[in-house]
Amino acid sequence: MTYEYEGKTEKEAIEMAAAELGLERDQFDVEIVETQKNSLFKKGYVKIKVHTVDTPETSSDFDNSMPQGAKNIFADPLPQDEFEKELINFTASMIRKMGYDVRVEIMFREDHKLGLRLNSAYSSILIGRKGKNLDALQLLVNVFAGRLGREDMRIILDTENYRIRREESLVRLAYNTADKVRTSRKSILLEPMNPFERRLIHTTLNEISDVETKSEGEGLYKQVRVIYKGLR
């Protein structure tokens, strides 16, 4: 399910969502839809969308990140229970049926989150353009996890550290775009991105006083518009 909330800050909006939905913070994902900083004539606000974790959509929306702090990144790569074994076998079998050899191992373990690393000579194909193939595979693996009775578990797929590299690239893109917007005084519409990537752009530019961001479009892959608003 998806809900919308608005607060003076991202933290306030998230706390409002958690209180109203009766959920812990790790039970839902957040997409920043729009930000407005304080000015002389307008009060600042942050508008967010909340995606609860019990839907297939959520499995693909916000799995595109490494766990915060990556504290268990060097977890035992071998499966520790039947669920992990079935998940690894399903993932490897699916990719091999596509015609690509792969070895799947555990990348990290966290509460309600499990990372799988895909070791393959065909990593670039498995990633696809802007990670769309990897996102699609990840969604299927999350659906399979749900069929095993683990709707509470979010599965993250990665290969060749793509997730980290993509995140660094998006941060650079955000800052470069902000500079262009300041120079041209015109808004710039970025490429379609999944919710996690859009949130990263919103968050990166949230502290820059003379630009603001807004998501546009429909569906999973929306675009972020970076807008010049000047110093007020």
Side-chain angles (χ1 to χ4, degrees):
M1 296 291 290
T2 302
Y3 307 87
E4 289 194 5
Y5 294 90
E6 184 178 309
K8 294 179 182 178
T9 63
E10 179 184 353
K11 181 180 179 182
E12 180 180 292
I14 290 174
E15 289 176 348
M16 188 184 305
E20 183 169 318
L21 296 174
L23 299 174
E24 297 295 328
R25 178 59 188 87
D26 62 358
Q27 291 180 292
F28 61 88
D29 288 304
V30 175
E31 171 191 354
I32 299 177
V33 177
E34 186 175 353
T35 62
Q36 170 68 56
K37 299 178 181 65
N38 280 317
S39 66
L40 182 61
F41 302 105
K42 293 182 179 179
K43 291 184 177 181
Y45 66 85
V46 176
K47 185 181 293 185
I48 66 172
K49 278 188 178 180
V50 170
H51 304 263
T52 54
V53 301
D54 58 349
T55 66
E57 178 184 0
T58 304
S59 297
S60 68
D61 272 1
F62 290 91
D63 288 343
N64 299 337
S65 67
M66 297 300 293
Q68 188 173 5
K71 60 184 178 182
N72 293 326
I73 194 66
F74 298 113
D76 184 348
L78 299 177
Q80 293 186 348
D81 55 33
E82 193 61 30
F83 170 70
E84 292 185 0
K85 288 180 183 178
E86 291 196 43
L87 206 61
I88 287 176
N89 289 338
F90 171 81
T91 304
S93 175
M94 174 176 60
I95 294 173
R96 287 168 183 155
K97 286 179 180 178
M98 294 167 56
Y100 307 113
D101 190 32
V102 67
R103 186 178 79 256
V104 182
E105 60 186 19
I106 302 298
M107 183 168 58
F108 65 84
R109 296 179 181 88
E110 289 192 344
D111 291 341
H112 306 293
K113 189 182 291 186
L114 180 70
L116 299 183
R117 180 184 291 110
L118 310 180
N119 298 304
S120 174
Y122 304 94
S123 291
S124 60
I125 297 175
L126 298 181
I127 293 169
R129 187 176 183 275
K130 306 299 183 183
K132 288 188 176 181
N133 290 351
L134 195 60
D135 287 348
L137 291 169
Q138 184 170 274
L139 175 59
L140 292 174
V141 174
N142 275 276
V143 171
F144 180 73
R147 291 180 178 176
L148 294 177
R150 295 303 306 271
E151 294 88 349
D152 63 316
M153 182 66 72
R154 214 180 320 166
I155 314 302
I156 297 173
L157 300 189
D158 199 9
T159 182
E160 299 292 339
N161 292 322
Y162 170 78
R163 302 296 189 193
I164 294 176
R165 292 188 286 109
R166 175 64 170 162
E167 183 172 333
E168 292 172 346
S169 174
L170 288 171
V171 170
R172 289 194 298 270
L173 173 65
Y175 285 127
N176 289 338
T177 303
D179 287 339
K180 291 178 181 178
V181 166
R182 286 164 154 172
T183 301
S184 67
R185 301 297 195 265
K186 296 180 180 179
S187 69
I188 294 178
L189 190 63
L190 300 179
E191 66 193 45
M193 300 177 188
N194 65 41
F196 171 79
E197 294 171 336
R198 294 197 303 274
R199 184 188 181 196
L200 186 60
I201 298 293
H202 289 304
T203 303
T204 300
L205 300 184
N206 191 46
E207 299 303 318
I208 298 181
S209 60
D210 55 349
V211 300
E212 60 187 11
T213 57
K214 183 177 181 180
S215 291
E216 297 183 2
E218 301 294 335
L220 179 62
Y221 286 87
K222 299 178 185 177
Q223 295 174 273
V224 174
R225 184 177 295 277
V226 183
I227 306 164
Y228 176 76
K229 67 173 189 175
L231 295 173
R232 300 174 183 174

